[in-house]
């Protein structure tokens, strides 16, 4: 059987654009047989495989971002004075502002993460249902990074909550997730657009929705030593993403200029950007899907991955 795979990148708030991409493709009759996601892409992809309708995932995400558990997160990363003075700012933006002011310098050098495990887990429980990945249709997988070995770990069975919790654990902010011998953090640091895992899972045709940054969007220029270090790390990850996503048949890149990773209040803007980007690529996607269907004889022939010198992931 011919299988279509959707690959959803990380990107924090920017990845909310996947909601629009998936709804437009769904309207056009292009539904996935599998979804592989990283970080926020794993959260959205997992919810889609559970609810099976993009509009329902959109509604669920909006409710969560307006929920008490999300809004109260500010008390974990900011004192009451800053929380009151900057009430109009979003939670994550207030966190970054406070961090740059030095409020969390001591915590950042004495702790593995700034947000306690229990609080992070509570947020995931609030948003993600407790189901087994193998029971979902479409099929689903989430990517995480094992910081002990540098391996790319792909969850395609077991608890959906555990998988997305590991995949979205931003290093230094959220706690790593221990799974057997693995110590797992956000998959965006090793595979922000997991096209190759989708192909290895049997996808004949792959649509990649990429909400990550381009290098020109990394502004303003660094003004401190730590910002310079972060910038160089960001450039490395962006270039790795550019390499890996070229294995997709269609790349949908929403126009998200000016949208920061912390702009969760811009969910409607991100949704429209995703919808518009999918609309622009729709005809191309339909043509390429038909061409791939013919090349694979309707799915009778497995897609052959063009070799690249990158280590294959570990599936669990």
């Amino acid at each position: 059987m011919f299988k279509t795979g959707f690959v959803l990148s990380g990107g924090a708030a920017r990845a909310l654009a996947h909601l629009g991409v998936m709804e437009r493709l769904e309207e056009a009759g292009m539904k996935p047989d599998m979804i592989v996601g990283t970080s926020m892409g794993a959260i959205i992809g997992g919810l889609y495989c559970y609810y099976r309708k993009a509009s329902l995932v959109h509604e669920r995400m909006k409710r969560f971002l307006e929920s008490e558990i999300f809004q109260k997160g500010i008390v974990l990363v900011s004192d009451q004075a800053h929380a009151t003075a900057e009430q109009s700012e979003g939670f994550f933006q207030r966190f970054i502002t406070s961090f740059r002011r030095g409020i969390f310098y001591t915590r950042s050098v004495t702790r593995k993460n700034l947000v306690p495990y229990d609080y992070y887990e509570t947020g995931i429980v609030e948003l993600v249902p407790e189901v087994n990945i193998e029971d979902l249709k479409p099929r689903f997988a989430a990517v995480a990074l094992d910081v002990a070995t540098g391996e790319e770990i792909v969850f395609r069975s077991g608890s959906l909550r555990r998988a997305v919790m590991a995949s979205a654990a931003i290093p230094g902010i959220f706690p790593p997730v221990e799974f057997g011998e693995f110590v797992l953090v956000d998959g965006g640091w090793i595979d922000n657009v997991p096209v190759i895992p989708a192909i290895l899972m049997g996808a004949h045709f792959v649509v990649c929705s990429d909400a990550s940054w381009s290098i020109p969007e990394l502004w303003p220029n660094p003004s401190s030593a730590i910002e310079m270090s972060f910038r160089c790390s960001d450039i490395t990850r962006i270039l790795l993403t550019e390499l890996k996503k070229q294995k997709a048949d269609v790349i949908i890149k929403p126009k998200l200029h000016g949208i920061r990773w912390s702009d969760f209040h811009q969910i409607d803007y991100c949704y429209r950007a995703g919808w518009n980007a999918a609309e622009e690529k729709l005809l191309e996607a339909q043509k390429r899907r038909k061409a791939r269907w013919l090349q694979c004889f309707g799915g009778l022939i497995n897609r052959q991955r063009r070799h690249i010198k990158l280590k294959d992931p570990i599936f669990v």
Side-chain angles (χ1 to χ4, degrees):
M1 176 182 174
F2 186 82
K3 296 179 178 65
T4 296
F6 285 2
V7 167
L8 308 181
S9 76
R14 294 168 60 97
L16 295 171
H18 299 325
L19 298 168
V21 170
M22 297 182 73
E23 187 157 346
R24 182 64 190 99
L25 295 179
E26 184 182 273
E27 290 175 358
M30 188 177 293
K31 296 184 178 182
D33 298 293
M34 68 180 70
I35 297 177
V36 185
T38 295
S39 197
M40 181 59 80
I43 293 174
I44 291 174
L47 291 175
Y48 183 89
C49 292
Y50 179 78
Y51 290 107
R52 302 186 186 182
K53 193 171 179 61
S55 61
L56 295 179
V57 180
H58 189 185
E59 293 170 7
R60 182 70 191 91
M61 286 300 305
K62 290 193 76 169
R63 289 198 305 272
F64 176 73
L65 296 179
E66 296 167 356
S67 69
E68 184 177 8
I69 187 68
F70 186 84
Q71 296 299 322
K72 278 191 172 181
I74 186 59
V75 302
L76 296 175
V77 291
S78 174
D79 59 23
Q80 290 298 316
H82 281 91
T84 302
E86 300 172 0
Q87 196 67 34
S88 62
E89 292 184 323
F91 159 59
F92 282 99
Q93 188 57 36
R94 280 180 277 176
F95 163 71
I96 291 299
T97 300
S98 298
F99 189 91
R100 286 180 172 175
R101 289 174 178 168
I103 292 175
F104 298 104
Y105 176 78
T106 301
R107 293 184 187 181
S108 67
V109 297
T110 59
R111 300 182 182 180
K112 289 183 178 180
N113 46 272
L114 299 176
V115 176
Y117 185 92
D118 289 347
Y119 192 88
Y120 181 43
E121 183 179 44
T122 298
I124 294 294
V125 169
E126 173 75 13
L127 178 60
V128 180
E130 183 53 83
V131 295
N132 288 326
I133 294 173
E134 55 267 37
D135 294 332
L136 296 174
K137 289 186 179 180
R139 294 170 61 195
F140 174 71
V143 171
L145 166 65
D146 177 23
V147 296
T149 64
E151 298 282 2
E152 178 180 353
I153 308 300
V154 182
F155 284 92
R156 57 178 177 180
S157 63
S159 168
L160 176 63
R161 282 179 180 168
R162 179 188 60 202
V164 300
M165 189 172 179
S167 184
I170 301 172
I173 297 180
F174 297 126
V177 175
E178 295 185 5
F179 176 67
E181 61 186 12
F182 303 128
V183 181
L184 303 173
V185 298
D186 194 312
W189 265 254
I190 192 169
D191 196 353
N192 201 42
V193 284
V195 175
I196 292 175
I199 295 173
L200 293 176
M201 287 174 61
H204 300 92
F205 177 75
V206 178
V207 177
C208 174
S209 179
D210 180 17
S212 58
W213 287 260
S214 61
I215 292 175
E217 289 182 277
L218 299 179
W219 53 268
N221 288 328
S223 59
S224 68
I226 192 169
E227 288 182 351
M228 181 64 75
S229 177
F230 288 158
R231 173 64 55 84
C232 293
S233 175
D234 288 340
I235 290 173
T236 299
R237 291 194 293 121
I238 288 171
L239 293 177
L240 179 61
T241 294
E242 290 297 316
L243 172 65
K244 289 195 170 187
K245 74 181 184 183
Q246 296 306 317
K247 302 303 174 184
D249 293 284
V250 176
I251 301 169
I252 297 176
K253 182 76 173 174
K255 296 176 182 178
L256 297 165
H257 302 297
I259 297 296
R260 299 165 296 186
W261 74 283
S262 55
D263 288 337
F264 288 93
H265 62 286
Q266 295 277 22
I267 182 171
D268 292 333
Y269 178 90
C270 293
Y271 167 85
R272 289 194 298 273
W275 199 97
N276 291 335
E279 173 70 16
E280 292 176 3
K281 284 281 190 174
L282 184 57
L283 184 59
E284 176 187 341
Q286 291 170 331
K287 288 182 177 179
R288 292 196 174 191
R289 187 176 186 275
K290 181 179 290 187
R292 181 67 71 183
W293 189 92
L294 292 172
Q295 290 173 354
C296 296
F297 289 91
L300 294 175
I301 299 177
N302 290 331
R303 174 174 175 176
Q304 295 298 313
R305 180 185 61 167
R306 288 177 292 174
H307 179 70
I308 59 173
K309 294 181 180 179
L310 290 173
K311 195 172 184 180
D312 283 345
I314 297 174
F315 289 90
V316 296

